[in-house]
Amino acid sequence: MSTRFALTTFDNPYNPFTDFNSWFLFDVEKGYNSCGYLGRIAKTSDQFSEEENNKEVERAIDEIVKYDFRNIYKKVKQTA
């Protein structure tokens, strides 16, 4: 069983795992640009394994949520 994590905002009604296009459009229209923000914080690499990159993304999401002074972000997970 594998678990994936995503960064989203409390007001985004779409699921970033199952309805990414709608989730992304809502996110960009609100000016959050969560994917870009996460991309700047997460230190991923093609040289890392998928598991290593997933752990780094989770670490970055945790950091974003921890320092979120506007209290707009949350971490969501999907288990497959």
Side-chain angles (χ1 to χ4, degrees):
M1 202 174 253
S2 69
T3 302
R4 296 184 319 151
F5 296 94
L7 179 68
T8 191
T9 54
F10 285 102
D11 63 339
N12 195 327
Y14 302 103
N15 184 321
F17 298 109
T18 60
D19 195 5
F20 182 81
N21 290 337
S22 296
W23 175 88
F24 183 77
L25 287 174
F26 181 92
D27 188 77
V28 171
E29 286 175 356
K30 292 287 187 172
Y32 298 132
N33 299 308
S34 299
C35 289
Y37 185 22
L38 181 58
R40 290 189 303 275
I41 303 301
K43 297 169 180 67
T44 58
S45 171
D46 291 339
Q47 296 178 1
F48 295 159
S49 70
E50 184 176 350
E51 182 180 343
E52 290 171 318
N53 278 322
N54 288 341
K55 285 182 180 182
E56 174 56 19
V57 167
E58 182 182 7
R59 183 210 60 79
I61 291 170
D62 290 341
E63 181 178 321
I64 289 168
V65 170
K66 179 179 179 179
Y67 294 108
D68 178 22
F69 66 92
R70 296 184 295 170
N71 198 31
I72 61 170
Y73 290 107
K74 67 179 179 177
K75 176 180 169 182
V76 293
K77 72 177 181 177
Q78 179 185 52
T79 304

